[in-house]
Amino acid sequence: MGWWASVGGPLLAVILVCGQAFALEQPEAEDSPPPEDAVQLDRVQVAGNRSQTSSLIHATTSRTTLDREAIERFGDTNLSEILNRAPGVSVEHANGRDVIRMRGLGEAYTQVLINGQPAPPNFSLSSISAAAVDRVEIIRVPTADMSAQGIGGTINIVLSKASGRRDGVFRLGISKQARWVGKAADARFSGKWNGWLLSFSLSGDRTDRGRSLSIQEDVVRYDEALRSSFLTQRETDVYDDTLSASGSVQRALGSADELSLEFLAVERDISGISNDRTKLLSGPEPEYSASKLSFKTSRSEYGGTLGWTKYLSGYAEFGLDLTLRQSTRTSDARFIGFDIGEVLVRDRVVDSFTRDREVQFNGTYSLPFQSALALDMGWQLERDARQDRRIQNDVTPTGLEPFDLDESYDSTVLRTALYAQSEWEPTARTSIYAGLRWEQVRTRTLGDFGERTTNTAAVLSPILQAVHGIEDDDGGQIRLAVSRSFKPPQPEELTPRRFLANINSPTSPDTEGNPSLQAELAWGLDLAYERLLASGDLSVSAYSRWIDNVIVDQLFFRDQRWILTPFNVGSAHVTGLEIDWTYRFEEVWPSQPDAHFRLSLGRNWSSVSHIQGPNDYLDRQQPVVATVELVGLSLSPSIAAGMNFKYESSRAVKSSNERLFRDQSTRKVDLYVTWDASNIGTFRLAAKNLFMSNSASRTSFKSESAIFSQRQIVDTNPTLRLTFEVPL
């Protein structure tokens, strides 16, 4: 009742306003074509692109779009591969997960949306097939109709929707990386049948991959002439099977109503074996001289959205949609450790189960007052319920301390949002977008660890974006944006449950949540100069974020274990410069009508108040990210080629005054060649991660008595992929 009392009044007011407008407008609804100067509203954003020439020029709100052509160009099979080449975006693979970064900031500050709504908990980029994606929007400044949780930026994944246009393709692919082979097949189809607009996709992917990792652990104690050092060689084999289906069905009900249904289903199984061999270099023996970790994780996700849209007179719209989604994850792991005499010292079995159930109910009302003014308002309600259980049993034949656990917790996340946004053109050269959003996230957890905990984060987010065309600069414009955003703590960050590391050390600690965490709050300022060139476009921009209540992991020693726990520690300032230049060769090179060149460069800085500089970057921020792309080169009437080069600079980052993380720069080159055999289909050959050297990183920690360091070197291998495509 407390939740309804806090939002019921404002929500009822919005519903009544929309309902009253609906009642007044409905009798006048007619099936007539809109005038040429009418503003066409979109449910995701008030400000649509007024020009198809560029994704930057003439749009009031700023976003970069990867369309179907860009998605299919390199023969990618999933969303992770697509985003890894996107300008200003990078994807890291850490601990079996894909970590997406915008402006150098990781998933804690980069928001991921699916069709404009927050992605489900523990969402994996690699679980979404490329065949299911219509486009990807990279959004640097949010609008009021999307969640304000993207401090660094937002990635909106728009799944394929029914359009009525007949289109389809079937693809078969095979890939090779060192000794591992991958196989993939997918199909998508869209069309119209008996008044129904249809769009479906189905994909299956089997990827076998492996990794060779060298880990060197060193400990140097101040008070003794003692150095402990050992080297571990880890070999990991992973087998990943994914089956997914998605679709959209849409039908007009008369002249003023429209019904739609969208769905997404994913089944994924990941299994593998990791073998460690440890060699003592100096000092005392390590806890394990050899170990084996076997694991299997199964994840199922099913969800759908039912939508209804009412078209009113004056080109107004009223819409409702209901989303139901459920995901389950089961994981079984077994760790076996041996001492230097090959004697079994620990046999650990861990079984875990997680289930998430999600309900969303959203409403929108859109009204264009005149050709230069539009208004959009709405509400968003969401409830996520999670059940989580983890059982750990240890057998220690030689008398090591066992850690037997049987822990479970339930969490409920209630998200409520009300918003209004408008766009207008006060002059022929000026467009203004203004939005106001109130969003509250309330998280409740109850588990074996103690009493129920409740965490509430709420923020009122004003957003202003303006574009002004420069009078004496033909094709040039200035863009300014001011925004308010926040980052509430996640349920796993709030739960005081311990996750034990198999080998505990300051560089490989246990992790534990903190129920006292508060939400991070941020103000943002963005300024850009954009120019539409004769053969392309140019954007030069700067941004700043001022963040309060920054959450940083703190390392401490308790009960003979090293533990990493998040705390609010103060403030942070993030700033950067970005350049994006596109050049099309059509005018100067008529024989290459589809060829274009793109350069994207980002330079990022940040500082955290409680950490002594230098190198006090927030969230292991990447200082430099650059992308160079040359695509669409025609080698013959039936053969085309292209390349993408991605550079990410090295980092030396302090996560606290005692902890330092370093890694080396990375350079990735991807190439593709397509051959259009018109009577058969299209063959596409892609080579990925060419010329990339092994990845190296180092983590160090200075305690009162010693310096601990861990150095990792990961072997990397290029991937070759051959794809055959045939239209349907």
Side-chain angles (χ1 to χ4, degrees), residues 120-328:
N122 297 319
F123 169 73
S124 173
L125 294 173
S126 55
S127 66
I128 299 292
S129 167
V133 181
D134 178 70
R135 67 183 185 274
V136 178
E137 298 174 338
I138 303 169
I139 305 169
R140 289 165 175 79
V141 181
T143 49
D145 57 348
M146 66 179 63
S147 178
Q149 298 182 39
I151 293 179
T154 298
I155 305 292
N156 184 30
I157 305 159
V158 182
L159 302 182
S160 298
K161 296 185 178 182
S163 64
R165 182 174 61 89
R166 181 176 176 83
D167 184 30
V169 65
F170 173 72
R171 302 194 308 173
L172 282 174
I174 185 170
S175 62
K176 188 76 164 61
Q177 182 188 44
R179 60 183 177 86
W180 298 280
V181 177
K183 299 170 284 293
D186 63 61
R188 60 179 175 84
F189 170 82
S190 63
K192 187 175 182 179
W193 176 77
N194 199 23
W196 293 87
L197 306 184
L198 310 172
S199 176
F200 299 103
S201 71
L202 179 66
S203 67
D205 183 11
R206 170 62 187 259
T207 302
D208 297 344
R209 61 182 183 271
R211 186 175 74 163
S212 296
L213 173 65
S214 297
I215 306 172
Q216 181 167 333
E217 296 268 2
D218 295 297
V219 180
V220 179
R221 302 192 179 277
Y222 304 140
D223 54 351
E224 304 175 20
L226 178 63
R227 177 185 179 92
S228 173
S229 181
F230 53 87
L231 178 65
T232 300
Q233 186 66 37
R234 177 174 299 165
E235 300 291 337
T236 304
D237 293 323
V238 178
Y239 310 96
D240 188 345
D241 295 287
T242 304
L243 179 65
S244 66
S246 65
S248 171
V249 180
Q250 184 176 317
R251 183 179 177 86
L253 305 177
S255 61
D257 295 88
E258 185 176 270
L259 194 66
S260 65
L261 175 65
E262 301 171 359
F263 69 89
L264 174 66
V266 179
E267 288 280 352
R268 190 178 189 188
D269 291 328
I270 302 176
S271 60
I273 298 175
S274 181
N275 290 289
D276 285 12
R277 282 286 179 182
T278 300
K279 178 181 179 181
L280 179 64
L281 302 180
S282 64
E285 297 176 2
E287 185 174 8
Y288 309 109
S289 66
S291 63
K292 178 180 179 180
L293 174 66
S294 57
F295 56 89
K296 181 178 181 180
T297 300
S298 298
R299 180 180 176 88
S300 302
E301 180 181 328
Y302 298 92
T305 299
L306 179 65
W308 169 67
T309 303
K310 181 72 175 180
Y311 297 100
L312 311 172
S313 65
Y315 309 103
E317 296 180 15
F318 177 69
L320 297 173
D321 62 68
L322 175 67
T323 298
L324 302 177
R325 193 154 52 193
Q326 174 174 296
S327 63
T328 59

Side-chain angles (χ1 to χ4, degrees), residues 528-544:
Y529 169 76
E530 299 164 353
R531 181 175 175 83
L532 184 61
L533 306 173
S535 299
D537 48 64
L538 172 68
S539 172
V540 180
S541 61
Y543 71 90
S544 278

Side-chain angles (χ1 to χ4, degrees), residues 670-698:
D670 295 348
L671 304 174
Y672 78 90
V673 177
T674 63
W675 174 42
D676 184 8
S678 56
N679 296 327
I680 303 175
T682 300
F683 292 89
R684 188 183 308 270
L685 178 64
K688 303 182 180 184
N689 288 339
L690 296 178
F691 315 122
M692 184 175 176
S693 60
N694 292 341
S695 174
S697 63
R698 180 187 295 271

